Amino acid sequence: MPTSPATAPNNASNSASNGAPPAIMLELVDEHGTTIGTAEKLSAHQPPGRLHRAFSVFLFDERGRLLIQRRALGKYHSPGVWSNTCCGHPYPGEAPFAAAARRTHEELGVSPSLLAEAGTVRYNHPDPESGLVEQEYNHLFVGMVQAAPAPDPEEVDDTVFVTPDELAERHASAPFSAWFMTVLDAARPAIRELTGPAGGW
């Protein structure tokens, strides 16, 4: 289904009157994915971590290659590592699907030509480099992209389309995000349905 970028909710908690950057709030959830509150983004990732809602996007070209990104070096969490097409957190009250479409456009300058839900996965992944913890209830999405990425350099350092074999080679030789294999494996049934047996996923 076609998607278009969504806008962030106009939350008072996301505004700042003292000139400081607005606090980014995340939606805290229980083990069933039910919203139970909110927390500031960095505090939710401090050990031991607080379970919060997240999303992960996997976009493919017409040849069945996966678009992956290397996170910008200036990011405070997992800088300079490779990861899936896009990942992030919905604003409190924002639908995960809308957040996934919005953030993909913000980071990569493209909108998916197709985007579909691919289930959820719950995980707890400490990041050894930053010391932060990913306690996430993650909504998965798979889809297609037809336009060339135009990444925001503050968010994305590099992008590349890879086949399964090329991904395996890169994964063996370059650092990837702590959550990458967990979300990829959880999304594989939907990825195979999208790309077909010849895709090799």
Side-chain angles (χ1 to χ4, degrees):
M1 69 192 75
T3 61
S4 59
T7 56
N10 185 18
N11 290 337
S13 60
N14 282 340
S15 63
S17 58
N18 60 1
I24 298 175
M25 304 300 291
L26 306 186
E27 199 169 83
L28 301 179
V29 300
D30 64 17
E31 294 291 340
H32 305 288
T34 302
T35 303
I36 59 173
T38 61
E40 190 276 326
K41 182 178 178 181
L42 182 57
S43 70
H45 289 87
Q46 298 286 352
R50 302 179 71 183
L51 185 60
H52 57 274
R53 196 178 308 283
F55 63 82
S56 289
V57 177
F58 297 84
L59 295 183
F60 296 81
D61 66 9
E62 293 179 347
R63 295 167 54 186
R65 299 180 303 171
L66 171 63
L67 175 61
I68 60 174
Q69 65 156 281
R70 185 164 59 200
R71 294 164 61 86
L73 293 173
K75 295 181 78 72
Y76 76 87
H77 190 352
S78 302
V81 301
W82 289 93
S83 198
N84 48 295
T85 307
C86 181
C87 55
H89 310 91
Y91 293 113
E94 183 182 22
F97 183 94
R102 169 182 60 80
R103 196 66 185 139
T104 298
H105 189 269
E106 290 173 353
E107 288 193 4
L108 297 165
V110 294
S111 294
S113 58
L114 172 75
L115 192 64
E117 296 181 0
T120 60
V121 62
R122 196 277 197 229
Y123 53 77
N124 174 6
H125 284 308
D127 176 41
E129 295 296 323
S130 66
L132 301 176
V133 178
E134 289 288 5
Q135 285 265 19
E136 294 190 330
Y137 187 93
N138 198 306
H139 297 255
L140 307 172
F141 298 93
V142 301
M144 304 290 294
V145 62
Q146 295 177 314
D152 177 353
E154 293 189 3
E155 299 288 346
V156 178
D157 184 62
D158 197 7
T159 61
V160 65
F161 285 94
V162 293
T163 66
D165 287 344
E166 290 167 343
L167 176 62
E169 292 174 6
R170 189 175 294 263
H171 191 262
S173 61
F176 273 70
S177 63
W179 61 87
F180 175 73
M181 287 307 302
T182 298
V183 293
L184 174 61
D185 286 344
R188 280 188 196 275
I191 291 172
R192 290 171 182 145
E193 184 175 345
L194 176 73
T195 60
W201 295 100

